[in-house]
Structures are given as structure tokens and as C-alpha cells.
Amino acid sequence: MGMIELDCDDTFELWRDQARSLLSHGIDPSQVTWSQGLINDLLAVPATLPEGRGPYRTQVPAQLLNLLQTAARYHGEQRWNLLYEVLWRVAHGDRTAMLPGDSLGSELHRRIKQVRREAHHLHAYVRFTPLPADLADRLQLDLVAYYEPAHDILSEACEHFAERLGKQRWLIATHRDGIRYDGEFDYRRQCPDEWREWAKNADDPGAELWRTYYRHIFNPARLNPNVMRQHMPGRFWQHLTEGDLIPQLVGLARQGKQRDGQALEVAAQAGKSLRIKPQQ
């Protein structure tokens, strides 16, 4: 049998239907790929997905489907192939493939951890820009934001903002998908160009005030670049209002400003004398 090459359009629902069909026909993971583009093996003979359901029937635990659906949001090599390998082993009685102690299960759980961490990053680093009243009325939006997540987490992680922002109407656009909320969610797998333009080009009226505040509270004496990048990777800086200030302030700290323990603007001020009453 030749190599079956499939395209699930990067959707879990279509992949699941394809995987069910493959499993019912007893097709081994080594005989199928969800690769992008041409099959790498030049000697492989292309084959097609068998029609209908095959004779093989099995049941898998609901927990596995939840794990696979979360891991499916991970962007990387062998994105869909690994999921089928796990499904195949569990369907044939080897449930250790679901566990972190297994080599395959370890990679599965690593991807799940990355997806959940990316959802946390979304909640932490999305910056909404308020729109002027006239523009808000025209677009029927109050807040817009642009963000570039590493994995497909927008559709699942966005409910956080519906709870936090109350009745405000908002939009988040990314380089792949987008979502807007006005009491109901409108999710688009392909973000409309106009959404992306609104989010990228919105002027924040409080941007300069925030940048001034950030410069003044920056404490060179407490700077730890490694820890800072661990909690806030550099890829997020370009979308933060204060993002371009961070490398400048880090550079000043490395040039010896750490001894001041405060921002230059604060250190230059005269300050105020305080009268301290001596203790009896």
C-alpha cells in the first residue's frame, strides 16, 4: 500500500473524521501523513483515503479526545501525525501513550503545556486600544487589539475577555484568525483584512502617558534580563506600548545605571526633606 497524504485544513474536526476512517480500516501511522506540500519520501507511492468506514471498531476514552483536541492547537512539525500515532496506540490497548512517562505521551503533554502557556500569554499581553467615540460608533467597536500567538488559541482563550470587559465591544486580530465580541462572538479562521487594519493602526490616546509612567517606575537595580525574558519573551515587545523602551532601559542598566536604583528622571529631582521626630 502506498503512502496516504491528507490535508485536514488545520481543523481538529476534519482531522478527527479522517483519523476515524483510517483507524476503522486498520491503517498504520507509518502509512499516512498530514504533511504540508509534497511527500518527502521520493520513493513513496501516493494513495487515497479509503471510502466509507472499515470493519475495525474500537472505543477510546473521552480523556484522550480532550488531550488530542488541546494538542491540536500546537503549531509545529508533525502536528497531526503525532496525534494519530497516540490515537492508534490507545485504540490498540496501549494507554501509556497518553501518559507523560511515555516517549510519545511526553511530546503530547509538552505540546499541551505550550498551548496552555500561550493562552496565558494572550491574557497577559494583549493590549486593547480604545477607539474615539465617532469611530467606535461607525465600527460598532469600543476596543481593538492586534496580537501574534504562536499557537491556535484565540477561539478558546477569548472568553476570558468577555468576562473581564463587561458590555464593551472588542476585537482581537491576529496574523491568522480574528474575533470580535458585541454580546456574541464572531470568530473568523481567516482574519478579514479590515479587522487587521483597524487593530494595527488604532491610535492609543494614553500611549505617551503610559510610556512616561513606565520609564519612571523602571528599577535598574532589580533588573534580571533572563528572568524578564522568561516571563515576557521578546516576541511580545513589538506589540506593547512600552516595547521599544525595554531594550533602551536594559542597555542603560547594563552600562552601570543599576547603582542608581531608580529611573534617571527620578534621580535628577531634588526631592523633599522630611523631619523625623526622634524616638524617646
Side-chain angles (χ1 to χ4, degrees), residues 171-239:
L171 162 72
I172 300 177
T174 81
H175 55 301
R176 287 189 294 265
D177 52 0
I179 191 165
R180 64 180 295 168
Y181 179 80
D182 58 359
E184 295 183 357
F185 290 106
D186 181 8
Y187 174 73
R188 309 284 183 90
R189 286 192 62 225
Q190 299 295 328
C191 183
D193 292 338
E194 59 181 4
W195 288 14
R196 197 175 288 115
E197 289 300 316
W198 297 343
K200 278 188 169 184
N201 298 323
D203 292 326
D204 186 354
E208 195 53 42
L209 179 62
W210 169 252
R211 287 165 58 85
T212 300
Y213 171 74
Y214 187 84
R215 283 198 306 270
H216 282 72
I217 65 169
F218 181 79
N219 188 343
R222 301 189 64 182
L223 176 67
N224 187 327
N226 293 332
V227 173
M228 180 181 66
R229 286 187 171 86
Q230 178 181 352
H231 292 283
M232 187 175 65
R235 64 187 175 93
F236 299 117
W237 296 0
Q238 60 178 318
H239 301 304

Side-chain angles (χ1 to χ4, degrees), residues 12 30 40 81 95 110 142 176 199 207 227 241 251 274:
F12 178 76
S30 64
N40 293 329
N81 292 48
R95 295 198 175 193
R110 186 192 71 82
D142 301 305
R176 287 189 294 265
V227 173
T241 305
L274 298 176

Side-chain angles (χ1 to χ4, degrees), residues 31-248:
Q31 298 175 314
V32 61
T33 180
W34 280 268
S35 61
Q36 300 295 323
L38 299 176
I39 298 177
N40 293 329
D41 187 352
L42 297 179
L43 299 180
V45 179
T48 58
L49 180 68
E51 296 183 1
R53 290 295 175 89
Y56 183 70
R57 295 289 185 271
T58 187
Q59 289 185 340
V60 296
Q63 179 189 5
L64 173 63
L65 293 180
N66 292 334
L67 293 175
L68 295 178
Q69 188 168 14
T70 302
R73 299 184 178 280
Y74 176 88
H75 265 263
E77 295 183 0
Q78 301 294 309
R79 177 180 181 182
W80 303 103
N81 292 48
L82 179 129
L83 303 186
Y84 186 61
E85 290 184 49
V86 174
L87 176 63
W88 173 269
R89 282 181 51 185
V90 174
H92 286 78
D94 184 5
R95 295 198 175 193
T96 59
M98 300 168 52
L99 305 178
D102 179 83
S103 59
L104 197 61
S106 175
E107 175 62 18
L108 177 72
H109 284 272
R110 186 192 71 82
R111 297 184 181 193
I112 291 173
K113 184 177 179 180
Q114 290 294 318
V115 167
R116 290 174 176 168
R117 182 173 178 80
E118 193 65 23
H120 169 73
H121 285 156
L122 175 74
H123 298 159
Y125 300 126
V126 158
R127 292 291 179 85
F128 285 100
T129 299
L131 297 177
D134 57 339
L135 186 58
D137 289 340
R138 182 163 62 86
L139 300 182
Q140 293 297 294
L141 287 169
D142 301 305
L143 305 168
V144 295
Y146 182 77
Y147 189 74
E148 293 186 2
H151 307 296
D152 289 336
I153 46 85
L154 182 62
S155 60
E156 287 294 319
C158 63
E159 291 188 5
H160 167 85
F161 300 107
E163 297 173 358
R164 295 292 297 272
L165 298 176
K167 295 182 179 180
Q168 295 189 86
R169 303 162 298 180
W170 49 266
L171 162 72
I172 300 177
T174 81
H175 55 301
R176 287 189 294 265
D177 52 0
I179 191 165
R180 64 180 295 168
Y181 179 80
D182 58 359
E184 295 183 357
F185 290 106
D186 181 8
Y187 174 73
R188 309 284 183 90
R189 286 192 62 225
Q190 299 295 328
C191 183
D193 292 338
E194 59 181 4
W195 288 14
R196 197 175 288 115
E197 289 300 316
W198 297 343
K200 278 188 169 184
N201 298 323
D203 292 326
D204 186 354
E208 195 53 42
L209 179 62
W210 169 252
R211 287 165 58 85
T212 300
Y213 171 74
Y214 187 84
R215 283 198 306 270
H216 282 72
I217 65 169
F218 181 79
N219 188 343
R222 301 189 64 182
L223 176 67
N224 187 327
N226 293 332
V227 173
M228 180 181 66
R229 286 187 171 86
Q230 178 181 352
H231 292 283
M232 187 175 65
R235 64 187 175 93
F236 299 117
W237 296 0
Q238 60 178 318
H239 301 304
L240 298 177
T241 305
E242 71 280 10
D244 61 330
L245 294 178
I246 298 175
Q248 299 175 21

